[in-house]
Structures are given as structure tokens and as C-alpha cells.
Amino acid sequence: MWRMARPRKPLLSRDRIVEAAGALVDAEGLEAVSTRRLAAALGVSGPSLYNHFRTKDAILEAVADAVSARVDLSMFDADGDAVGADGAGRGEGGGGGGARRDWREALHAWAHSYRDALADHPNIVPVLARGPGRRPAGLRLADAVFGAMTEAGWPPAHATRIGALMRYFILGSAVASFARGFVDDEAAYDPVDYPHLGQAHLLAERRREVDEGAFETGLTALLDGLSLQYEALREPRT
């Protein structure tokens, strides 16, 4: 019986293209992505990419959606099963019946999951900042947040603003590191010119502590403010 020889390289697929494009974006930024570079990295001809994606922008949209798909949405799920923005299960299964988290707790957990998903991929943030568009994982993410807020009692207009506010904050925190913006050189911060920056040269080596602390401080402040608004909305009017 004749058997077809296996190809030496894996067949080209959407997943392989997205993985290669994502690696290129992470390493060199959005402008580094081109069909020529991707084809070379995948060992194929340039035109073969168009069998899976019509344009370079479509590839970048798919990379962005792959990052969104890593965000945990289980905190918004009433049945308690862990679900990601790609619609796939995240936990070990189990039955339903789990209680939905308080809206504030849910937003807090979701914000950290979202930021964690972006932590290693800051170069793709400008694409994500355009909004979900037609991206499936991005739309599931927006749907989960809006649905959870309205079910918690927020009016639809407020729920929309909360979703936008949280995205602004989370995506902004992922664009760049505040701590890395300062150089590790004490001489750069002459006290004559910058009397309050005597310890600024130490920030870079404490990047994680500074940036994560700033994110948590800002997130707590946002949620505190939203809690005040929530209580005000629920107060009976005379």
C-alpha cells in the first residue's frame, strides 16, 4: 500500500501565522510585521498567507484577539465554571450552581487577569485600544463585563461607561512602565534641578514593585469611586 510522505514542515494554518506574527510583534513591534517577514519565518511563500488572511491588518487583529482570549472571565459567570474570552473552559469542570461574585470583586479580579494577559505583549496594546471591532474574544469580553454590570443593578448607560473606563485604565497601564522611564544613574537627577527626585535612579530596579503597586492603587481608587456612585444610584429618591 502506498503512503503519502509526511511534509517536512507543519502545514500552514491560521494558528501558526498568528503565533509567528505575535512573536514578531513582541520582539520588534507592530511595524516589523509584514507578509515577507512572516513568510520567511514560516518557511512559505508570501502569497500562501493570503489563503488564511486577506491583509496584514487582519493578521494583527487576530494576534490582538489571541491575547484577549487569555483573559479569565469566570468571575462574571453565574455557574462558577472558569471561562476565558475565547469561550473555552479554564478550570477542571464541575457542576454549576456557583454564586456570581459581587460586581466590585469581579471587576477587581478581571482587571488583574486582563493586565496579566497584556503584561508580556505591550506592543499589541495599540491594536486592542481600537476596540473589539469584530474580534470574537474581544466581543465576548465586552459582553461579559456589560452583562455583569447590568445584572448587578447598574443602568445600561453606566455599565457602558464602566466598561470603557476599565479598558482605558488597564490598557494604559500596559503601554509602558512608569519605573523604567527613569534611568539608573543618580547623576541624572541633580538635586539643584530636581530636589524631589533624589531616589528616582532606584525606580528602574524596582519596576515590578512600583508598577504593580501603582496599578493596584489606581484600581482600588476607581472601584471605591464606583462604589460610591452605586450606592447613590440605589438610594431611594424622595
Side-chain angles (χ1 to χ4, degrees), residues 83-122:
V83 177
D86 56 358
R90 290 287 188 258
E92 298 178 357
R100 189 188 301 275
R101 286 191 186 184
D102 170 78
W103 67 266
R104 174 177 173 140
E105 293 178 355
L107 280 182
H108 186 276
W110 170 70
H112 275 282
S113 178
Y114 201 169
R115 183 174 184 270
D116 289 345
L118 300 179
D120 295 328
H121 311 284

Side-chain angles (χ1 to χ4, degrees), residues 132-153:
R134 298 177 181 271
R135 299 192 299 269
L139 289 170
R140 277 189 286 268
L141 190 154
D143 180 74
V145 175
F146 180 82
M149 295 305 101
T150 53
E151 289 175 15

Side-chain angles (χ1 to χ4, degrees), residues 210-230:
V210 172
D211 292 344
E212 291 186 359
F215 181 79
E216 182 60 31
T217 298
L219 180 58
T220 299
L222 283 177
L223 296 177
D224 284 347
L226 289 175
S227 294
L228 292 175
Q229 292 185 38
Y230 185 72

Side-chain angles (χ1 to χ4, degrees), residues 37-38 44 55-56 60 90 101 104 123 130-131 142 177 181 183 197 203 211 215 218:
R37 294 273 315 262
L38 285 176
V44 299
T55 64
K56 167 187 166 180
L60 293 177
R90 290 287 188 258
R101 286 191 186 184
R104 174 177 173 140
N123 291 339
R130 300 171 190 167
S177 163
V183 298
L197 296 182
L203 291 175
D211 292 344
F215 181 79

